[in-house]
Amino acid sequence: MRSTPPRVFLPGAVAVVALSALLSTASPSPSAADPAPSPAPASSPGPLAEGDVIYQVVVDRFADGDSSNNDTGNGEYDPQDLGFYHGGDWKGLTDKLDYISGLGVTAIWLSPVSEQQPVSKDGKEGSYHGYFTRDFATPNSHFGSATELQTLIDTAHSKGLKMILDVVPNHTADYLDAGATSYTSAAYQPAPPLNDANYYHHNGDCAFDGTQSQEQIENCDLGGLDDLDQSNPAVSDYLITTYRDWVDMGFDGVRVDAARSVPKPWLKKFEEGLGVPSFGEIFVGDVDYVADYQNYQWGELDFPYFFTVREVFSADTDMRALKTLFDQDSAYVNANRLETFIDNHDRARFLTWANDDYQRLRSALTFLLSSRGVPVIYYGTEQADDGNGNGNEVPIANKDNRKDMPSFDTDATIYRHIQRVTSVRDSVPALKTGTQREMWSDPTVYSFSRRDDASGDEAVIVSTNSWNPQTRTIPIRSESSLPVGTVLVNAMNTDQKATIEKGGATGRQITVTVDGHDTAIYSPIGTIDAYSPSHDTVTTVRVHANVGYGNAIAIRGDAYPFTWSSGRAARWTEGDVWVYETERIPAGTPINLKALVNDSTWQSGDNTVAEAGSVIDIYPSFP
């Protein structure tokens, strides 16, 4: 059985019905459609810890294991609309655990499990995401029964996967009108005991216009959702007791939704009451602001990292921004406990920002999985999901970043790439928990080391966002115990090696060449097995055109990532050749293409007709 810390009982607790009792009435006895769990729950791999790799799942969009729970007849189910339920559930997720485990991740971050108000107050959005809570203590029937959730947890544990619960203590669904102190309908309320308007703040909707104080942020309605008052003992005790019941099913950590909107001291009390590590959503790019929250929680979602790394690796901006980011790590209690990511459910997909460039994604993922922190892989990233190329992020991302899981192909190029990096992490433990130290920083190259200062285990990471290979001679850190003569091999392409030589500021240095848009992980030879990187077949489109200073070429077509509605930006190269490369189109697929100046003036004449997987030259004329 899973070992859990002692239950914490707080004075003044309200009388609540235990989750197990509620579920005994909410869930029928096990049947063929509700398989019984194994007699003894699988032992947990342990609590969330430094060195883990998290896989984030939006359950409704992952896998449908039981179609009978898809539609409850409340207008919440429409698989053709990304704003409503699509049918994913815990049984479907259980069926796909080998796929997730195969990536080399060590934990699954599960979207919220509680019963939801089926649709938003205006009827325009379903509660598939889990943030319109009606009853905190009852499972969302769209995802299955408590028995099926327990089966998921136990099966995941048996495969060595930790389970992380997404908790939503800041708010319920939107039942109270803005500023109202009473409900307008006896039928439209949260479940007891939270159907008491005195348990909420009544300050209207959050504006997030940059003028709000921290007190206002903690006491306003986020997106119109009713803001719970955690300073009320009844509210506090109910949330802690109820979520502790969920945690006691076997969850190994929790992610706290909208943690910025909850008082900091209460976050600490909440974590202590649940008895497992927690990390919060602090949706802000300022290091000092985010860092203070780690005084109250084990970890935090590292939004400063996200905003910086995404821009540097997807848009080729100055890599010295990474230096600025990591130079501030001393502000955190422990930067190795920050949850780092390049994709999530509230921002446009990385590949949208990166113009659907798989190589940029591979490099960013290598950087993510080798730099400090607890990396998070968002479902679908490993299948090159680009969110339909929709980059809208106002006020939060469009729903294209929450598409149905596109594939479970374990031979997909990005899936295999992640597999490789996670296996390298296992071979080089310093990549999991080692101290990170900068080694080099310039506009197109950034390098750091990860070192376990107790064992001496070490790796050197070098990244470039240049289109062309970059060579640098980099001093070895004085803290390093790697001697002159040590041969290092790039674990991501073992044909590439470098030898530590005498010289440089510290007396030891290496000279490395990094391929364009790539991240190399150099480790002492002998610890890494042979590996050559692989890519899908590349289609290269070259537009030969002098369009004048300040103008640019875009390409449209009929095979995605090309569309006729908007163009893909091409990059200028010597000789006025504009280039766009893609790995998305299967080789041999027929393509119709046209070039445009500034994505507005079409080339004259017929389409260029060609096949994917080749070099396609276009010599356009423009009106």
Side-chain angles (χ1 to χ4, degrees):
M1 296 293 288
R2 179 179 186 272
S3 175
T4 57
R7 181 69 171 270
V8 177
F9 291 95
L10 300 174
V14 294
V16 295
V17 181
L19 176 64
S20 57
L22 282 173
L23 300 188
S24 68
T25 58
S27 303
S29 298
S31 64
D34 182 17
S38 55
S43 176
S44 166
L48 175 67
E50 296 175 42
D52 278 325
V53 178
I54 300 170
Y55 186 79
Q56 181 189 359
V57 175
V58 177
V59 171
D60 180 67
R61 301 301 160 84
F62 198 68
D64 187 356
D66 180 5
S67 61
S68 69
N69 58 31
N70 290 357
D71 191 353
T72 64
N74 291 297
E76 79 286 5
Y77 176 70
D78 184 351
Q80 305 307 312
D81 190 323
L82 286 169
F84 293 84
Y85 281 90
H86 284 197
D89 49 38
W90 296 322
K91 186 177 185 301
L93 181 54
T94 303
D95 294 341
K96 299 297 184 183
L97 287 176
D98 285 340
Y99 166 88
I100 296 173
S101 177
L103 269 174
V105 302
T106 60
I108 299 174
W109 162 5
L110 201 65
S111 53
V113 300
S114 298
E115 180 190 311
Q116 302 288 297
Q117 188 62 32
V119 296
S120 57
K121 184 180 287 187
D122 61 10
K124 295 181 179 180
E125 182 180 3
S127 55
Y128 68 93
H129 40 63
Y131 302 118
F132 296 167
T133 310
R134 194 193 83 82
D135 187 347
F136 286 86
T138 300
N140 186 339
S141 59
H142 278 287
F143 300 155
S145 67
T147 300
E148 287 167 324
L149 177 57
Q150 189 68 66
T151 298
L152 168 61
I153 295 169
D154 293 344
T155 307
H157 283 169
S158 73
K159 298 178 183 295
L161 293 166
K162 302 175 185 182
M163 294 296 290
I164 299 169
L165 175 65
D166 198 324
V167 300
V168 193
N170 178 65
H171 55 261
T172 65
D174 184 8
Y175 297 104
L176 292 163
D177 293 336
T181 58
S182 63
Y183 297 102
T184 58
S185 168
Y188 194 68
Q189 300 179 5
L194 294 183
N195 59 340
D196 183 337
N198 293 317
Y199 289 170
Y200 300 84
H201 298 120
H202 308 285
N203 299 310
D205 293 350
C206 301
F208 290 115
D209 57 5
T211 64
Q212 287 179 305
S213 67
Q214 183 64 30
E215 181 181 7
Q216 289 170 317
I217 290 170
E218 293 175 4
N219 295 306
C220 60
D221 289 350
L222 183 63
L225 302 168
D226 296 351
D227 193 67
L228 286 160
D229 180 6
Q230 291 82 14
S231 70
N232 185 309
V235 173
S236 175
D237 293 343
Y238 174 77
L239 291 171
I240 292 171
T241 301
T242 302
Y243 274 124
R244 179 59 190 255
D245 283 340
W246 287 113
V247 166
D248 282 349
M249 293 183 74
F251 285 100
D252 307 294
V254 298
R255 175 264 189 184
V256 182
D257 179 65
R260 179 191 181 196
S261 300
V262 177
K264 295 173 186 175
W266 191 82
L267 288 172
K268 183 175 183 179
K269 179 178 180 180
F270 186 56
E271 182 180 77
E272 291 172 349
L274 268 54
V276 293
S278 68
F279 60 92
E281 178 194 30
I282 315 298
F283 204 150
V284 177
D286 179 76
V287 168
D288 288 335
Y289 186 92
V290 175
D292 187 50
Y293 280 86
Q294 208 185 15
N295 292 306
Y296 304 91
Q297 294 186 282
W298 183 86
E300 302 298 340
L301 281 162
D302 194 347
F303 277 91
Y305 179 104
F306 164 73
F307 288 120
T308 302
V309 171
R310 182 178 70 166
E311 186 170 353
V312 164
F313 281 86
S314 70
D316 302 344
T317 57
D318 195 326
M319 295 197 86
R320 288 174 294 187
L322 298 171
K323 174 180 178 59
T324 300
L325 172 74
F326 293 128
D327 279 353
Q328 300 174 79
D329 273 0
S330 60
Y332 296 103
V333 172
N334 186 338
N336 269 355
R337 294 179 180 176
L338 299 174
E339 281 62 43
T340 54
F341 57 101
I342 60 169
D343 269 329
N344 81 349
H345 60 300
D346 283 333
R347 299 283 89 183
R349 291 276 185 172
F350 179 92
L351 276 176
T352 294
W353 274 66
N355 204 16
D356 207 44
D357 188 323
Y358 285 20
Q359 184 54 34
R360 281 170 161 160
L361 175 58
R362 279 187 285 262
S363 182
L365 285 167
T366 305
F367 188 89
L368 172 71
L369 288 160
S370 58
S371 53
R372 68 35 171 189
V374 179
V376 181
I377 306 296
Y378 183 47
Y379 86 99
T381 296
E382 76 279 11
Q383 297 296 334
D385 190 337
D386 77 334
N388 295 327
N390 189 343
N392 179 41
E393 293 187 337
V394 180
I396 61 171
N398 58 83
K399 296 180 181 64
D400 285 318
N401 73 334
R402 302 176 185 176
K403 289 162 50 184
D404 292 352
M405 183 67 175
S407 170
F408 295 96
D409 181 7
T410 57
D411 197 43
T413 180
I414 306 300
Y415 184 98
R416 286 185 282 112
H417 183 82
I418 294 172
Q419 268 187 328
R420 174 60 182 180
V421 191
T422 55
S423 71
V424 172
R425 285 170 60 92
D426 290 337
S427 299
V428 186
L431 293 172
K432 297 181 180 182
T433 58
T435 300
Q436 179 167 317
R437 297 181 174 98
E438 183 177 286
M439 296 180 66
W440 187 270
S441 177
D442 69 35
T444 58
V445 174
Y446 187 79
S447 176
F448 61 91
S449 66
R450 296 292 303 278
R451 185 174 189 272
D452 183 324
D453 290 338
S455 68
D457 182 60
E458 184 174 358
V460 174
I461 295 84
V462 188
S463 297
T464 183
N465 61 6
S466 170
W467 288 98
N468 302 310
Q470 297 293 306
T471 300
R472 299 289 187 277
T473 297
I474 300 173
I476 297 296
R477 294 280 311 202
S478 59
E479 296 89 348
S480 174
S481 54
L482 296 174
V484 170
T486 302
V487 178
L488 305 180
V489 61
N490 177 10
M492 303 309 298
N493 182 349
T494 51
D495 290 337
Q496 299 176 347
K497 297 178 177 65
T499 301
I500 298 178
E501 300 174 335
K502 290 182 179 180
T506 63
R508 292 169 293 164
Q509 61 187 15
I510 55 169
T511 299
V512 297
T513 298
V514 185
D515 294 333
H517 284 130
D518 204 8
T519 295
I521 302 174
Y522 280 93
S523 182
I525 197 166
T527 61
I528 301 296
D529 59 338
Y531 180 79
S532 295
S534 61
H535 307 85
D536 289 337
T537 302
V538 176
T539 300
T540 302
V541 182
R542 302 189 302 196
V543 180
H544 302 256
N546 182 349
V547 293
Y549 182 77
N551 297 310
I553 287 289
I555 303 165
R556 299 194 191 188
D558 63 355
Y560 197 79
F562 301 112
T563 69
W564 291 123
S565 59
S566 62
R568 290 285 174 183
R571 63 184 175 92
W572 182 89
T573 64
E574 293 290 339
D576 289 325
V577 180
W578 298 80
V579 179
Y580 180 79
E581 296 178 327
T582 179
E583 296 177 49
R584 189 173 291 276
I585 312 172
T589 302
I591 317 174
N592 285 269
L593 299 169
K594 270 200 168 179
L596 296 86
V597 177
N598 299 327
D599 204 24
S600 59
T601 302
W602 294 76
Q603 73 176 83
S604 303
D606 296 335
N607 299 337
T608 297
V609 181
E611 286 190 354
S614 61
V615 176
I616 303 167
D617 288 296
I618 301 175
Y619 296 86
S621 61
F622 297 98

